[in-house]
Amino acid sequence: MFRLANRLRASARPIEQLTHKVRLHHLADLPYRPSDGMEPFLSKEAVEFLYNGRLAQLTDNINRMTGGTDHEGKSIYDVIYATAQDPTQAPLLNNASQAWNIGFFLQSLTSTHIEPRDSLRRDIAEQFGTFDRFQDTFEESALGLFGNGWTWLVANSSGELGVINTFNATSPFTALPHGHKASNKGVSYVSLSEKIDKRPFVYVTPILGLSMWQEAFLLNYNFDRESYVKNFWKCVNWSAVEERLGPTKSSIRMIR
């Protein structure tokens, strides 16, 4: 079964739960006020739309779809995992997966410019050649997406890093079939496969994610996706990235 470090779940979980008669999902607080925006990457209108508009809508959908079912009260992660191979549950899977993705993306941002620490640069450069090559690879992957999707920096349980794209609302948890390799132009191919509970998924931990959905960039950039991706680096919360990468560096068995 997929396992995520407790630290990862605490720092990147997009939707928390309240326990009343049933456990209902609600929006988790961001480490900043959406009304302040995320300049120079996203305007306050764009952030408020993603958080108070899109994510709130998805959260309402999840509560409605899971009410009175076997999925009621489950965490978003468990909903994604339980529905990923059931075509009849595609609507619920799409809503849950997109909610997780947007929440993780928004939790990865900061309006206070933070330079990655030298130790983090070295960890990333160790597997991509240089830190700049990692950024180039990430940008190329993002701009290579046709249509809506996501670009991720992911790590496996051995701390190996790779950049992958997922399409539409797919999360990195169920993005790759077993045996697939996350490959990137300009870097050595990094195997990220590990068979978990006989499920045909790759065992990876998301470290950083970028939305390439039009709803994320259209308001501020029109169709200038290149500027959108370039400005992303100006608001990445590298402290959060380093925290997520920590458990994978030491090859700790990630627990849920």
Side-chain angles (χ1 to χ4, degrees), residues 64-114:
R64 174 175 51 81
M65 291 178 178
T66 58
T69 73
D70 292 340
H71 301 298
E72 185 176 64
K74 289 182 178 178
S75 70
I76 293 296
Y77 172 83
D78 286 338
V79 170
I80 294 171
Y81 185 78
T83 60
Q85 294 189 95
D86 185 352
T88 67
Q89 295 294 321
L92 175 56
L93 171 63
N94 287 334
N95 278 269
S97 186
Q98 185 71 341
W100 196 98
N101 293 350
I102 292 175
F104 186 90
F105 169 55
L106 293 176
Q107 295 280 357
S108 301
L109 302 177
T110 177
S111 57
T112 302
H113 182 66
I114 299 175

Side-chain angles (χ1 to χ4, degrees), residues 114-229:
I114 299 175
E115 285 289 340
R117 297 200 306 174
D118 289 343
S119 57
L120 178 60
R121 286 180 175 271
R122 286 194 299 270
D123 289 337
I124 292 177
E126 183 177 335
Q127 299 197 40
F128 285 88
T130 66
F131 187 81
D132 288 341
R133 178 176 285 183
F134 152 66
Q135 289 185 304
D136 290 343
T137 299
F138 194 95
E139 291 177 15
E140 289 174 5
S141 294
L143 295 173
L145 271 170
F146 185 81
N148 293 321
W150 295 83
T151 297
W152 308 91
L153 172 66
V154 297
N156 70 359
S157 60
S158 299
E160 296 174 309
L161 301 176
V163 173
I164 64 172
N165 287 337
T166 62
F167 300 98
N168 296 316
T170 305
S171 75
F173 307 122
T174 57
L176 300 175
H178 175 62
H180 184 89
K181 292 183 178 180
S183 60
N184 300 294
K185 183 179 179 181
V187 297
S188 298
Y189 288 3
V190 181
S191 175
L192 295 167
S193 62
E194 179 174 327
K195 194 170 185 180
I196 301 298
D197 288 348
K198 299 181 180 179
R199 294 216 172 197
F201 298 138
V202 171
Y203 173 28
V204 296
T205 296
I207 306 299
L208 182 65
L210 173 62
S211 174
M212 292 306 294
W213 278 64
Q214 289 186 10
E215 64 186 22
F217 60 78
L218 203 59
L219 179 62
N220 296 143
Y221 297 91
N222 200 353
F223 289 103
D224 185 5
R225 301 196 309 158
E226 185 172 354
S227 294
Y228 167 75
V229 173

